[in-house]
Amino acid sequence: MGIVEKIQEIEREMARTQKNKATEYHIGLLKAKLAKLRQQLLEPTGKSGAKGDGFDVMKSGDARVAMVGFPSVGKSTLLSNLTKTHSEAAGYEFTTLTCIPGVIEHEGANIQLLDLPGIIEGASQGKGRGRQVIAVAKTADLILMMLDAGKSDEQRSLLERELEAVGIRLNKRPPNIYVKQKKVGGVKFTHTVPLTHCSERLIMHVLHEYKMFNADVVFREDVTIDEFIDVIQGNRVYMPCLYVYNKVDQISIEEVDRLARMPYHVVISCEMNLNLDYLVDVIWEYLALLRVYTKKPGNAPDLGKEDGIILRRGATVEHCCHALHRTLASQFRYAIVWGTSTKFSPQRVGVHHLLDHEDVIQIVKK
């Protein structure tokens, strides 16, 4: 029996098993076995099975956005509209057969946008070009899930299931659980909050399934057994996802209004060029980028969009130093900052000062 058949057998057993207190240990073990098999499927080892490598696309720009979706939802048209890259678009499925990169120029940043081939049901098990698409999606900073507004609910649930199966967690943060494997001493289990979803016995069963007989485990929040398995696997990717509903010109205005009000949702029409500027603004916001300007002593700052330094939200003066030159941080004495990150402007700050969007910084060396 192959890995795919074993996965299907476990899924069938989970579907026919009633969920109650008496079966929670059995279901927990099945989930652990299922996660192990899926990892083996996507990351085979040995000479016969090379890893499912992604498309050969060099990461460039300040951030990477990957478009995933079913065939013929408008990914190629959106890429052509937002970037200077032309991606072949046609009225039949699988027009795009490889990964096509483009660049969105916004707020002085270069955002790489990838048009990936359409995902089909069963992509997580290697159907179509699922493995390559998913391998590239894991390297992105943001997932753009393109959906046909007329079939959105069905498409969204299938895509989420496929991405979930390969360890991509959308709009979630990593569970606050500490697991460290040891050589001796058995399993030491502690929790700082009451646990309603996991019991100590179930956690022990799952650890033993993964051949972990000596470990320190600390639960700092109440999580499900699936989230605990994610921590043990250690290869999960947590990233923001923006649900983009295309072809809204083909549905009622009431449905457009309902979709537009939901969190993480943007409604557009590539055919009518509708709401695309707003989509780019939302992408910028989700990527959590900021632009900082530099200033030389005695000179006015260069406030042109092409002159700024693009950093991630939460960046400090030290990050700015590294972006300017690799030796600047070691020679740093202090910085003078103008902008919203300071209590008064200008303000002398240290290397750990947090920067805001459109701050102006002057760095003084030793």
Side-chain angles (χ1 to χ4, degrees):
M1 186 185 289
I3 294 176
V4 174
E5 289 77 16
K6 288 179 182 176
I7 288 172
Q8 291 170 347
E9 179 60 37
I10 291 174
E11 286 175 341
R12 283 194 292 270
E13 188 174 347
M14 286 173 65
R16 63 174 177 258
T17 304
Q18 290 186 342
K19 292 176 176 62
N20 53 48
K21 275 282 181 187
T23 61
E24 67 175 5
Y25 306 110
H26 179 60
I27 291 173
L29 282 173
L30 289 175
K31 286 179 176 179
K33 288 177 181 175
L34 188 62
K36 282 178 69 178
L37 288 169
R38 281 176 173 161
Q39 187 175 9
Q40 289 174 27
L41 182 69
L42 289 162
E43 299 177 4
T45 54
K47 292 179 182 177
S48 59
K51 271 193 175 186
D53 294 328
F55 300 102
D56 189 17
V57 180
M58 185 179 291
K59 197 168 185 175
S60 66
D62 301 295
R64 170 180 272 195
V65 178
M67 283 193 290
V68 299
F70 281 95
S72 296
V73 292
K75 298 188 298 296
S76 299
T77 309
L78 183 65
L79 182 83
S80 301
N81 287 351
L82 295 184
T83 72
K84 295 174 183 175
T85 305
H86 174 72
S87 183
E88 188 65 34
Y92 50 86
E93 295 187 348
F94 301 107
T95 315
T96 303
L97 296 174
T98 187
C99 179
I100 301 171
V103 177
I104 301 172
E105 296 174 0
H106 185 69
E107 294 281 352
N110 292 324
I111 300 167
Q112 187 181 44
L113 182 65
L114 301 180
D115 177 17
L116 296 169
I119 286 181
I120 60 172
E121 191 174 358
S124 59
Q125 297 176 6
K127 291 184 181 177
R129 306 201 73 177
R131 286 187 193 174
Q132 292 99 319
V133 171
I134 287 158
V136 174
K138 280 189 169 184
T139 67
D141 301 296
L142 172 68
I143 295 283
L144 213 66
M145 191 181 287
M146 286 285 287
L147 302 163
D148 186 327
K151 313 169 188 173
S152 57
D153 292 339
E154 177 191 348
Q155 288 186 349
R156 176 177 168 173
S157 60
L158 281 169
L159 282 169
E160 284 180 334
R161 201 181 314 140
E162 294 297 330
L163 294 174
E164 191 88 9
V166 295
I168 297 177
R169 302 291 179 256
L170 305 177
N171 297 324
K172 292 179 181 177
R173 58 175 181 78
N176 195 357
I177 302 171
Y178 172 80
V179 178
K180 184 178 181 181
Q181 196 162 4
K182 303 182 295 185
K183 291 184 178 178
V184 293
V187 175
K188 184 183 177 184
F189 173 72
T190 55
H191 55 93
T192 59
V193 293
L195 300 181
T196 57
H197 302 292
C198 299
S199 66
E200 186 172 349
R201 181 183 158 200
L202 177 56
I203 289 161
M204 294 296 180
H205 272 80
V206 172
L207 286 170
H208 292 167
E209 178 66 30
Y210 280 88
K211 305 292 189 287
M212 294 175 71
F213 303 104
N214 302 287
D216 287 331
V217 181
V218 182
F219 274 62
R220 297 191 179 99
E221 66 175 323
D222 185 21
V223 299
T224 63
I225 194 63
D226 298 282
E227 291 172 304
F228 178 60
I229 292 168
D230 285 351
V231 173
I232 295 175
Q233 291 273 42
N235 60 352
R236 303 310 193 217
V237 179
Y238 298 84
M239 64 174 66
C241 175
L242 195 57
Y243 300 96
V244 180
Y245 290 81
N246 189 26
K247 306 180 185 179
V248 293
D249 49 303
Q250 299 176 11
I251 60 175
S252 67
I253 192 68
E254 291 81 14
E255 182 64 9
V256 172
D257 183 63
R258 184 186 72 83
L259 291 173
R261 290 177 185 276
M262 293 171 71
Y264 312 113
H265 285 48
V266 176
V267 293
I268 64 165
S269 172
C270 293
E271 203 67 38
M272 298 178 68
N273 218 17
L274 178 69
N275 224 22
L276 298 187
D277 290 341
Y278 174 69
L279 172 61
V280 173
D281 288 337
V282 176
I283 289 172
W284 169 270
E285 183 186 332
Y286 272 60
L287 287 171
L289 298 175
L290 57 91
R291 188 174 67 253
V292 175
Y293 301 107
T294 56
K295 178 186 179 302
K296 292 180 181 178
N299 293 355
D302 297 320
L303 296 178
K305 283 188 176 180
E306 64 280 356
D307 297 315
I309 301 168
I310 302 298
L311 302 169
R312 293 299 171 99
R313 196 176 298 158
T316 62
V317 172
E318 186 177 9
H319 292 109
C320 185
C321 290
H322 289 306
L324 286 167
H325 197 275
R326 64 180 182 274
T327 63
L328 192 56
S330 60
Q331 300 171 347
F332 178 85
R333 186 177 173 198
Y334 65 88
I336 301 171
V337 175
W338 293 258
T340 55
S341 69
T342 58
K343 290 181 180 177
F344 47 89
S345 198
Q347 180 177 330
R348 179 170 163 166
V349 299
V351 73
H352 300 300
H353 175 77
L354 286 171
L355 297 167
D356 276 355
H357 184 49
E358 297 194 332
D359 276 358
V360 175
I361 183 170
Q362 178 181 310
I363 295 170
V364 179
K365 297 195 290 184
K366 291 176 183 175

